[in-house]
Amino acid sequence: MTLENLNYRTNPMFLRNQFSSSNSYGIPDVPKVEFNDDEWKDLRLLAFNQSKSDN
């Protein structure tokens, strides 16, 4: 294992169990996002398979 790989694996940002969960599977709870009407007007959605690395 390279030092760079070790740094990624031990980075607190990527470690498991740091987010709270209220279910038996340990999946973190993600709060529902509320948008107002003005925010919906300019919202654009892009499918994952339509994205490219140069966009």
Side-chain angles (χ1 to χ4, degrees):
M1 180 181 312
T2 66
L3 183 58
E4 182 181 6
N5 193 1
L6 179 65
N7 289 338
Y8 280 123
R9 288 176 180 257
T10 57
N11 185 332
M13 187 173 175
F14 298 113
L15 293 178
R16 292 177 158 188
N17 302 325
Q18 69 178 5
F19 300 104
S20 61
S21 173
S22 63
N23 58 61
S24 60
Y25 298 106
I27 299 171
D29 300 324
V30 179
K32 181 180 177 183
V33 178
E34 298 286 338
F35 291 106
N36 61 33
D37 291 338
D38 292 335
E39 293 171 321
W40 279 110
K41 186 171 72 172
D42 295 326
L43 183 67
R44 294 182 184 182
L45 300 177
L46 179 67
F48 178 78
N49 63 346
Q50 294 175 336
S51 65
K52 296 181 181 177
S53 61
D54 59 343
N55 289 342

